[in-house]
Amino acid sequence: MCAFKQPLTLRKTLLGLAVAGTLGATQAQAGDVEVLHWWTSGGEARAANVLKELVEEEGHHWEDFAVAGGGGETAMTVLKSRAMSGNPPSAAQIKGPEIQEWGDLGLLGSLDDVAESEGWDEKLPGVVANVMKHDGQYVAVPVNVHRVNWLWANPEVLEEAGVALPTTLDEMFAAGEAIREAGYVPLAHGGQAWQDATVFETVLLATAGNDFYRRTMVDLDPEALGSEQMIEALENFKRMRELMDDGMSGRDWNIATSMVISGKAAMQLMGDWAKGEFTAAGLEPGKDYLCAPAPGTEHSFTFNIDSLAMFRVSEEADQEAQHTLARLVLEPEFQKTFNLAKGSIPARPDLDMSEFDQCAQKSLEDFQRTADEGGLVPSMAHGMAVRSDVQGAIFDVVTNFFNSPDMSAEQAAQRMVSAAQAVM
């Protein structure tokens, strides 16, 4: 894997404050925990409220700091602004390499006392635990594990079009033609950069496989980024536009999900948080909607781990509130209730899954299987594979190519090489 410099933008804006130690205190009152997150859609908001209720039952006060935006970009902008002012929230939804970035600045508090007393090392898979640690210390707690490479479908629309749920990219393109002729949108999509990237990384996996995905989206190997395999993946990605409707620009992901729910669209490529919307609509998997690994990716599991990182606070009561929050996140009651509502699977694989639906049970089964087989890969689109500045550079190439009628796949591949080299 490439050795990266620390992200300049974040370090330049925050390092002075970190060195001065001005971020150690918060303005919250004793026993308060302010939580910044972007769980704002229907299913997500209900899931987040579960944790709020559990925290307040233990006598602490939860101050909700919800920032809308499915990919979290807006929330991260707000978080940096708050940190620059010396007043970060006491807990924030941060994930993947960004946890390391904040930890390198010395702004995160240790959760080792909670982790040791609660046995986190024994309860969490190694791949999950490692993401939560900075310099060997727990600084964050995992809320769940999302699978990103899911296909969601309306069975009535598929039946009307006379097609089966596709299992390969070729089958998906062929099904799209029949669905369009039947009067439906083949693939619901929202034209936002993170959603474009979600489709791109899924198509990349389907086209080139797990090892090539790691070489390009994790290791940023220039040779692989500019290769014929990448060009083929980009061409397949561009073909996905043929399955989408003209009104997709700026559409939020949950609005795209509602198109599948209402029968306006046949399918959606989206992480399993989409299942929260089906659940909130009172629909039953296998009957009212279908779930399956994205076409061509049945041997892959693209993971996205939601987590809460804890910023340093000075008041003892606020530290206790943070530790209570962290403990509650990994207790069976919250893991079960939250993930049933959210559509994801528990971060702890030791929990009873009997109350979870067939999609969640399939997800956990595939998570464990792909971990053994080598198909468990971090999602670039959802901040698990590379630093935020690298991700942003890839986003720019992907979404510009997807929306440009003139840019060739060869040009896009070369721009991806240049983007990766510029941030190395």
Side-chain angles (χ1 to χ4, degrees), residues 105-121:
L105 292 169
L107 304 183
L108 300 182
S110 174
L111 295 174
D112 274 357
D113 288 347
V114 182
E116 184 176 353
S117 64
E118 297 296 314
W120 286 5
D121 279 341

Side-chain angles (χ1 to χ4, degrees), residues 10 13-14 17-18 21-29 32-37 63-65 67 75-94 102-103 105-109 309-315 318 322:
L10 187 58
T13 54
L14 299 180
L17 290 171
T22 57
L23 301 186
T26 69
Q27 302 301 314
Q29 304 210 354
D32 286 2
V33 58
E34 184 183 18
V35 184
L36 182 151
H37 64 89
E63 184 175 347
D64 201 56
F65 189 5
V67 180
M76 289 302 95
T77 299
V78 173
L79 176 60
K80 290 171 186 176
S81 176
R82 284 283 301 271
M84 287 174 64
S85 71
N87 182 34
S90 45
Q93 186 182 351
I94 306 174
W102 289 101
L105 292 169
L107 304 183
L108 300 182
M310 305 298 168
F311 283 80
R312 293 184 182 273
V313 296
S314 59
E315 296 293 333
D318 292 343
Q322 280 186 331

Side-chain angles (χ1 to χ4, degrees), residues 144-211:
N144 56 9
V145 174
H146 280 296
R147 185 179 196 170
V148 178
N149 58 314
W150 275 114
L151 177 69
W152 308 94
N154 185 313
E156 292 184 359
V157 175
L158 295 182
E159 185 177 356
E160 284 283 333
V163 298
L165 195 66
T167 60
T168 67
L169 289 180
D170 286 342
E171 288 180 6
M172 190 167 191
F173 292 131
E177 294 180 10
I179 293 166
R180 181 83 69 187
E181 290 176 2
Y184 302 97
V185 176
L187 188 66
H189 182 66
Q192 298 171 339
W194 72 269
Q195 293 191 63
D196 293 343
T198 298
V199 175
F200 166 71
E201 71 176 16
T202 300
V203 172
L204 178 63
L205 272 171
T207 303
N210 299 320
D211 290 342

